[in-house]
Amino acid sequence: MIIVPERAVAGLLTAADCFSAVEQVFAAMARKSAYNFPVIREAIGYADALYGFKSGFDRESLALGLKSGGFWPGNIAKGLTNHQSTVFLFEAESGRCRAVVGGNLLTALRTAAASAISIKHLARDDARVLGMIGAGHQSAFQLRAALGQRRFERVIGWNLHPEMLKRLEEVAREHGLPFEAVDLDRIGTEADVIITITSSFAPILKASHVKPGTHLACMGTDTKGKQEVEAELVARATVFTDEIAQSVSIGEAQHAVARGLVKAADIVEIGAVINGTHSGRVSAEQITLFDGTGVGLQDLAVASTAVDRAIETGIAIEIDF
Ligand code: NAD
């Protein structure tokens, strides 16, 4: 069995590796040759922790396994990350444990890859202004991955806690782009692509804010009750997602579906666009919205790539198990 420790992951994978691994597994999901198993998530009644598993199997790549992880709110005080994840991979032929991989950085990278994939396949080719809503840990990863997808000329951002926007300014500067903190009206009227990545439980962006032709990647809503954009905005958009079952239950579309504004049958798997079985954006005026809910197969895909790289580069720790 192989161990890839958390500290080794950054040196093994690039954002491009994660993009390609996640794009392939989204395509396999739409071909129905990869599927996610039901998610387990429990409040364990200790340390205020939420803990659970995301798992699945990809019959094309043979990635089989699970990500175990959760949220420990008291960790920051101990100098640890609040979100803790570990990926376990198993041999599809035998069920033996193949690898254990640190999953914290992998989670950030696979989530950023998902929104970047949606921009590649759904944003207008002439998108030049990128709008960010949210400036927490995940936002810098989202921004970096997005900037490679179009010839963006500037980045604008809004966050409930404006002092956190420095994080986005630094990433924009790394890429030689100007950054400006703006209000939500300006995000809506100026941005061609908007990424939302907050832990909000109430709509931030309204349908009236957003101009025709915008692509939205809604990435923060991954739990029942969370919400980043008004249900009317979801209803006005053509909605794409990683997995429809999650989109309607824990994703951004949950509220529009509950209010009868959108039906599950109206939501398109992004994998169908990647495979060419759905045309994706069909006009320059259409609003497209990617509801990125985060699936276990994304974790397995990037963890498998990390294991392959660790073996190739000789840094994999092998143990007799
Ligand atoms: P974080 O705690 O570092 O940042 C939280 C962000 O939300 C900050 O910008 C904060 O200012 C903002 N925020 C907090 N409360 C808010 C409120 N009431 N209204 C508006 N904004 C508010 O978190 P993070 O690691 O950056 O993650 C952001 C979100 O993305 C979380 O909801 C997380 O669960 C989700 N997430 C989704 C996926 C996925 O696959 N879709 C993966 C990882 C994280």
Side-chain angles (χ1 to χ4, degrees):
M1 187 184 85
I2 283 163
I3 295 178
V4 182
E6 182 68 44
R7 64 181 145 73
V9 172
L12 288 173
L13 284 180
T14 63
D17 294 325
C18 294
F19 185 101
S20 130
V22 174
E23 193 177 42
Q24 280 171 40
V25 83
F26 282 166
M29 283 167 61
R31 284 191 290 269
K32 306 292 173 226
S33 50
Y35 67 112
N36 295 288
F37 307 158
V39 174
I40 308 273
R41 197 161 165 86
E42 294 286 328
I44 60 170
Y46 186 76
D48 274 339
L50 284 174
Y51 175 70
F53 308 100
K54 284 190 166 182
S55 55
F57 180 46
D58 179 350
R59 283 197 302 270
E60 295 180 18
S61 70
L62 300 185
L64 171 68
L66 60 91
K67 178 169 84 172
S68 145
F71 184 73
W72 272 259
N75 273 8
I76 288 279
K78 301 176 198 155
L80 298 169
T81 312
N82 282 355
H83 291 272
Q84 288 293 332
S85 304
T86 309
V87 181
F88 295 81
L89 296 173
F90 298 89
E91 289 171 358
E93 292 79 9
S94 65
R96 288 194 316 167
C97 189
R98 179 180 181 229
V100 178
V101 187
N104 292 350
L105 178 60
L106 285 183
T107 299
L109 291 170
R110 63 73 144 151
T111 306
S115 53
I117 288 163
S118 83
I119 295 168
K120 172 183 167 185
H121 292 281
L122 296 170
R124 294 189 337 264
D125 287 339
D126 63 353
R128 295 292 175 267
V129 180
L130 179 56
M132 295 290 303
I133 295 181
H137 172 71
Q138 184 64 48
S139 66
F141 294 90
Q142 296 289 327
L143 177 53
R144 267 192 208 102
L147 286 174
Q149 303 310 315
R150 290 291 183 274
R151 291 198 299 281
F152 289 111
E153 292 168 354
R154 61 195 176 94
V155 181
I156 55 181
W158 178 91
N159 195 48
L160 182 65
H161 310 99
E163 67 284 0
M164 292 169 75
L165 288 167
K166 283 194 296 290
R167 173 181 265 137
L168 299 178
E169 185 167 10
E170 278 163 23
V171 176
R173 200 178 296 138
E174 269 170 32
H175 289 77
L177 295 179
F179 175 83
E180 193 182 354
V182 297
D183 60 23
L184 290 168
D185 283 327
R186 279 192 61 194
I187 291 250
T189 50
E190 295 178 28
D192 303 308
V193 171
I194 301 173
I195 298 176
T196 61
I197 183 73
T198 72
S199 44
S200 175
F201 278 81
I204 300 168
L205 200 63
K206 298 194 165 65
S208 58
H209 284 128
V210 173
K211 67 179 179 183
T214 303
H215 172 64
L216 294 128
C218 297
M219 304 304 297
T221 298
D222 57 356
T223 305
K224 197 166 168 49
K226 282 188 185 171
Q227 185 171 14
E228 299 190 289
V229 307
E230 220 180 29
E232 286 75 5
L233 177 52
V234 178
R236 201 175 137 205
T238 309
V239 182
F240 300 82
T241 188
D242 40 23
E243 189 188 82
I244 294 165
Q246 286 205 159
S247 172
V248 302
S249 56
I250 59 167
E252 193 58 51
Q254 62 179 290
H255 308 282
V257 170
R259 286 177 47 194
L261 301 174
V262 169
K263 294 191 292 296
D266 301 328
I267 302 175
V268 181
E269 275 182 295
I270 187 88
V273 183
I274 297 167
N275 290 336
T277 55
H278 189 280
S279 40
R281 169 177 291 279
V282 290
S283 84
E285 283 72 45
Q286 186 180 15
I287 294 175
T288 51
L289 185 151
F290 175 66
D291 185 1
T293 65
V295 294
L297 282 167
Q298 279 170 263
D299 299 300
L300 305 187
V302 291
S304 299
T305 309
V307 170
D308 293 345
R309 289 284 146 75
I311 295 169
E312 281 159 27
T313 55
I315 70 111
I317 301 166
E318 283 203 58
I319 59 161
D320 190 15
F321 180 69

